[in-house]
Amino acid sequence: MVDIDEQFCAVRARSEALCVDLSAEDCNLQAMPETSPLKWHLAHTAWFFETFLLQPFQVDYAPENPAYAVLFNSYYNGIGAQYPREQRSLLSRPGMDEVLAYRHQVDAAVLELLACTAEEEMLERLELGLHHEAQHQELMLTDLKYNLFQNPLFPVYSAVPPAAPQGPAAALHFIDHPGGTVEIGHAGQGFAFDNEGPRHPQIIPPFRVANRLVTNGEFLEFVEDGGYANPAFWLADGWHEAQAQQLRHPLYWGRIDGAWFEYTLMGLRELDLAVPVAHVSLYEASAYAAWAGKRLPTEVEWETAAAAHAVTGNFVDAEALHPRAAPAGEEQFFGDCWEWTNSAYLPYPGFHAAAGAVSEYNGKFMGSQFVLRGGSCFSAEFHIRATYRNFFYAPDRWQCTGIRLADAQ
Ligand SMILES: [Fe+2]
């Protein structure tokens, strides 16, 4: 069993390691309100431990710098005011050195706390902080990808050598599930966010889900068939968005001299037709499914189908930083791409938000977003479960989001 101090140090160190090969300018980019500067992520995750672990559990703890309570509070109204999200790149001060020093002071204080007490509530909050940091590590990579993409030099972040184009994807087929009364949600053992519970029954008709994610090659057929120009496939809001943004293909695709390319954290690469299509919105996923004569799975269907599989796959631990073609016999429920479901992000029956200011973590977003499942190539393996409910707005494309088809039997 990994020692909690060791796990804390490893998770914290990884956030800093993500920035080692970046310049201070790279770390302060913010191309849209949703993509925070990496320096802000580093500071915010330290603030989270200060605010939700050290202040409640360390007697007489004094914050390192009281001004940080505003600068690095993301959205916790119960804690206080927040610096405007869309202006985070204006925070040239504190600089990277100061932010790293802040992190290290917080780290030392947390380790001191751990040396003094093993109170259960404190350890649960520490675990929440570690999963919070893992969420931000994923955002650091996806935000950076979007921010660097604005530069016509198509900057290379990772020197991972390009994988050889992967062989043809496994033939697409659909796996039958009997439906009936199924149970979803977290059962209470091990870590889970409050939005994953309580576990509860649902009655669903028989359904089928695809054996893998939709590939670039399959999505290219939709593009070349005029899928982006035919309103018959699109939700009304999706069609409006596609027209307003003049969408013609997934976020990081582009055409050069007649050939398709895709921007990755390893730079610009020729589009690999065998790997899953990534960085599509719910609207694009839904339009593709309609064009293919299928639909997206509900989150109940997804969890029912995925729960039988081990949580293994192409996670950030493999350092590929890009989806890969499904290995033969693997159904790709975990890793590679977050999978859009057509389920609105709503509370489960009997949901209760965590107590205190941390109640704002998940519950207050239950209303206008959609659920995604399974984690991506930017997620840490320790952080993902079959019950994990991620959520984004329907037009969002900068996360590593992909498509699994479903159908009625
Ligand atoms: Fe956060």
Side-chain angles (χ1 to χ4, degrees):
M1 193 177 152
V2 183
D3 182 70
I4 189 71
D5 293 32
E6 233 174 85
Q7 198 192 358
F8 172 77
C9 292
V11 171
R12 295 284 287 167
R14 186 163 178 277
S15 300
E16 295 175 28
L18 292 176
C19 303
V20 156
D21 294 327
L22 296 173
S23 66
E25 292 88 343
D26 291 331
C27 291
N28 211 35
L29 291 170
Q30 184 178 26
M32 64 175 175
E34 291 85 350
T35 61
S36 297
L38 268 57
K39 185 179 72 176
W40 185 90
H41 284 292
L42 290 176
H44 164 72
T45 44
W47 169 87
F48 190 92
F49 277 110
E50 258 199 326
T51 306
F52 293 112
L53 184 75
L54 293 173
Q55 294 199 65
F57 293 100
Q58 179 79 293
V59 180
D60 298 331
Y61 179 79
E64 289 300 332
N65 183 333
Y68 291 179
V70 174
L71 296 187
F72 303 124
N73 179 358
S74 50
Y75 53 66
Y76 294 89
N77 297 316
I79 298 296
Q82 301 122 42
Y83 184 80
R85 181 191 192 191
E86 65 279 8
Q87 293 177 20
R88 288 171 183 166
S89 69
L90 299 179
L91 298 173
S92 63
R93 314 288 176 89
M96 270 299 263
D97 289 349
E98 283 171 276
V99 166
L100 290 173
Y102 171 47
R103 285 181 65 86
H104 300 159
Q105 285 155 353
V106 169
D107 288 347
V110 170
L111 290 173
E112 202 180 305
L113 175 66
L114 286 175
C116 299
T117 172
E119 191 191 327
E120 197 178 325
E121 202 187 336
M122 184 277 289
L123 290 173
E124 284 173 4
R125 189 60 62 81
L126 178 80
E127 198 169 18
L128 178 68
L130 293 177
H131 283 276
H132 173 256
E133 187 117 3
Q135 284 183 318
H136 278 275
Q137 287 167 359
E138 179 171 344
L139 289 170
M140 287 168 79
L141 291 169
T142 53
D143 291 5
L144 180 72
K145 186 172 179 179
Y146 187 83
N147 293 336
L148 291 178
F149 177 62
Q150 310 310 313
N151 185 335
L153 297 176
F154 297 119
V156 170
Y157 167 70
S158 164
V160 173
Q166 298 181 22
L172 185 71
H173 66 269
F174 287 79
I175 298 162
D176 289 344
H177 291 268
T181 302
V182 299
E183 286 212 339
I184 66 159
H186 192 254
Q189 289 124 23
F191 177 81
F193 290 109
D194 56 3
N195 63 2
E196 295 170 56
R199 191 166 175 83
H200 63 283
Q202 296 254 1
I203 300 171
I204 54 171
F207 64 98
R208 304 190 301 156
V209 289
N211 60 319
R212 59 163 171 75
L213 299 176
V214 170
T215 63
N216 281 330
E218 289 161 343
F219 200 87
L220 184 58
E221 287 178 43
F222 167 72
V223 171
E224 293 184 335
D225 193 38
Y228 278 87
N230 189 340
F233 303 129
W234 293 76
L235 292 167
D237 289 348
W239 180 248
H240 179 78
E241 177 79 7
Q243 301 315 297
Q245 305 296 327
Q246 299 193 346
L247 303 183
R248 301 287 180 269
H249 50 71
L251 174 59
Y252 292 120
W253 288 22
R255 237 177 155 177
I256 304 172
D257 297 333
W260 285 99
F261 286 79
E262 180 175 26
Y263 179 65
T264 74
L265 281 176
M266 288 66 69
L268 202 61
R269 288 182 170 181
E270 202 165 336
L271 189 68
D272 186 336
L273 300 183
V275 311
V277 64
H279 299 286
V280 289
S281 67
L282 170 84
Y283 297 140
E284 289 167 299
S286 168
Y288 175 84
W291 171 83
K294 306 293 182 197
R295 62 170 172 79
L296 301 178
T298 65
E299 69 169 321
V300 183
E301 290 170 341
W302 190 96
E303 188 172 321
T304 302
H309 296 264
V311 184
T312 57
N314 177 25
F315 290 113
V316 76
D317 313 63
E319 298 183 346
L321 302 182
H322 199 66
R324 60 167 191 193
E330 287 185 26
E331 292 181 22
Q332 229 170 3
F333 280 105
F334 299 103
D336 292 306
C337 297
W338 285 103
E339 302 180 21
W340 283 109
T341 74
N342 64 9
S343 296
Y345 175 54
L346 295 171
Y348 284 163
F351 166 73
H352 290 291
V358 84
S359 69
E360 294 184 57
Y361 199 120
N362 289 307
K364 72 180 184 181
F365 300 105
M366 293 171 169
S368 49
Q369 305 192 47
F370 282 80
V371 173
L372 301 99
R373 295 299 197 108
S376 82
C377 56
F378 299 119
S379 312
E381 185 168 329
F382 90 90
H383 179 57
I384 298 301
R385 300 164 294 286
T387 57
Y388 191 124
R389 306 174 80 201
N390 202 352
F391 48 94
F392 281 97
Y393 294 99
D396 288 343
R397 309 205 294 168
W398 94 106
Q399 286 307 299
C400 191
T401 45
I403 310 168
R404 182 183 301 273
L405 295 176
D407 201 0
Q409 274 186 39

